[in-house]
Amino acid sequence: MPSGLPKPSPGQPCPCGSGRTFAQCCAPRLDGSAPAGNAEELMRSRFTAHVARDWRYLHETYRPTSRKPYVEETDVAEIAWTRLVIHQHEPGPTPDTACVDFTAYFATEQGEQAMHEKSAFARIDGRWLFTRTVRNGPAPAKPAAPRVGRNEPCPCGSGRKFKHCCGA
C-alpha cells in the first residue's frame, strides 16, 4: 500500500495543514475537549480523523449519524491520505450554516490523486456538523468575458451590430 501521512502525535505538525502542531490544532477536537469553532475547523478535524482512523469522531460529526450510537466497523477501507488544501470557507445564508471547498489528496499505486469537494456544514445545538456534499469536483468554469448581445455593438470594432457582423 502507498504511504500516506502517519497517525498524528502531539508534537508533530497537524495533518490538516494548518501549520500548527496536532496538540494545538485538531487533537482537542478529536478528544472532545474543544469543539470546532467554525465549519473550516470541523473540516480540518474530520480530515485529521481520517488520517488517525478515528471512525468514532467521523460518526459523531456527521449529521445523519451524530445522534445514533456508534458501532465499530471492521472492514473499513484505509486510504493513504497525504494532504489537505482548503480553497474557500463560505459563510451560509445564516450564521449557523457554511460551506467549505477543499481538495483532499491521497496516495495510490499510480501516484498522488485528488478528491475535490464542496461540503455543507451546520451548527446544531452549538456544535458544527458535516451535513452533505454539495459538489464533487472543482467549481464549474465561468466565462472570462461577458457574452455579447445580438443588438450590441460588435466587439471587433466595426461599428455594426454584433448580429450583422461577427454574430452572422
Side-chain angles (χ1 to χ4, degrees):
M1 178 177 177
S3 65
L5 292 168
K7 278 193 167 190
S9 60
Q12 300 283 329
C14 193
C16 77
S18 67
R20 297 182 293 168
T21 66
F22 175 61
Q24 297 170 323
C25 190
C26 290
R29 295 182 214 336
L30 270 59
D31 69 20
S33 61
N38 59 44
E40 182 179 340
E41 287 180 7
L42 181 64
M43 177 62 240
R44 288 182 178 281
S45 67
R46 285 181 56 83
F47 176 81
T48 300
H50 278 285
V51 172
R53 296 168 182 81
D54 188 344
W55 313 129
R56 177 181 297 276
Y57 182 79
L58 294 168
H59 174 89
E60 292 170 352
T61 58
Y62 179 46
R63 185 171 184 195
T65 60
S66 65
R67 296 186 184 210
K68 296 178 182 176
Y70 174 70
V71 177
E72 191 164 347
E73 296 180 36
T74 55
D75 62 340
V76 178
E78 292 192 17
I79 298 173
W81 297 104
T82 56
R83 60 191 169 110
L84 174 69
V85 175
I86 303 287
H87 303 293
Q88 189 171 23
H89 176 206
E90 307 168 11
T94 69
D96 292 329
T97 59
C99 286
V100 178
D101 190 354
F102 67 94
T103 302
Y105 294 86
F106 57 98
T108 67
E109 299 296 334
Q110 292 76 36
E112 189 175 56
Q113 305 292 315
M115 181 189 81
H116 192 143
E117 185 176 295
K118 182 176 183 178
S119 295
F121 296 84
R123 185 171 34 208
I124 299 167
D125 299 329
R127 197 171 139 225
W128 282 98
L129 298 172
F130 164 60
T131 57
R132 66 187 179 91
T133 299
V134 175
R135 178 191 74 241
N136 281 313
K142 293 181 181 177
R147 192 169 174 188
V148 179
R150 290 176 34 84
N151 288 318
E152 292 179 21
C154 190
C156 75
S158 67
R160 298 174 21 199
K161 287 185 178 181
F162 178 71
K163 66 182 177 185
H164 294 297
C165 189
C166 295

